[in-house]
Amino acid sequence: MRTEAIDPSGISWQRVSPKYITVRLVQWAIGNVIALLVLTLPLVFLLLGWWRWPPLWLAILVPAVAFVLAIWRLVLIPRQVRAIGYAERDDDLLIRGGIFFQRTMAVPYGRMQYVDIGVGPVERGLNLCTLKLHTAAPGTNATIPGLPAEEGARLREQLTARGEARLAGL
């Protein structure tokens, strides 16, 4: 479903690399394995006779619900990555994301203070990076994850040049 507020007409969105799905899957696996191990400990202690509480049904239900939610998040990861995009316009950069709760952010070039690129270990192995825009507003969370390293470097230079040109014009 297309919404004019989220997807303005005439905008061609640049999507992030499909390799970013691998980064998200690694993050998902690490987080969920740790969470499921911790949530399963009461069941193990109960079965070994070390604990008398919680009841068996609760010790089974909590990790089971966590497992179902983890699988649901796993199914959503590819769609979430495909929803991330950006578009360079004359005066601002548009960043979009989200499936259920969609969001489009416009960051004016003249408001950018600096552009930051970060690379984690999994991203480095896949030749990806995350571009973060810093503005004067502390609530701005303008990030574009999953960019190919070359595109991230190009975008950083392009945005920095446009930001300096807009700032000089003030």
Side-chain angles (χ1 to χ4, degrees), residues 63-127:
V65 168
F67 179 74
V68 169
L69 290 174
I71 297 301
W72 174 248
R73 287 191 304 264
L74 174 66
V75 169
L76 289 179
I77 286 174
R79 179 65 184 95
Q80 289 172 335
V81 169
R82 285 192 305 269
I84 301 170
Y86 64 96
E88 297 176 73
R89 297 196 303 183
D90 291 337
D91 296 320
D92 56 12
L93 176 72
L94 293 179
I95 303 171
R96 77 172 316 267
I99 302 172
F100 299 122
F101 299 98
Q102 297 177 346
R103 179 179 182 184
T104 298
M105 181 185 316
V107 182
Y109 296 129
R111 301 283 184 201
M112 290 182 207
Q113 291 182 333
Y114 64 96
V115 182
D116 187 21
I117 290 187
V119 178
V122 179
E123 288 175 315
R124 188 177 310 115
L126 296 170
N127 199 29

Side-chain angles (χ1 to χ4, degrees), residues 147-168:
L147 290 173
E150 303 80 31
E151 175 65 8
R154 183 204 67 81
L155 198 55
R156 179 189 59 211
E157 297 305 319
Q158 180 78 17
L159 295 175
T160 302
R162 286 183 177 182
E164 288 174 357
R166 296 292 190 277
L167 195 57

Side-chain angles (χ1 to χ4, degrees), residues 10-32:
I11 299 294
S12 63
W13 295 101
Q14 301 293 320
R15 300 296 178 187
V16 299
S17 172
K19 292 191 285 186
Y20 184 59
I21 293 173
T22 304
V23 175
R24 292 284 310 274
L25 289 175
V26 169
Q27 293 170 343
W28 172 89
I30 291 170
N32 284 292

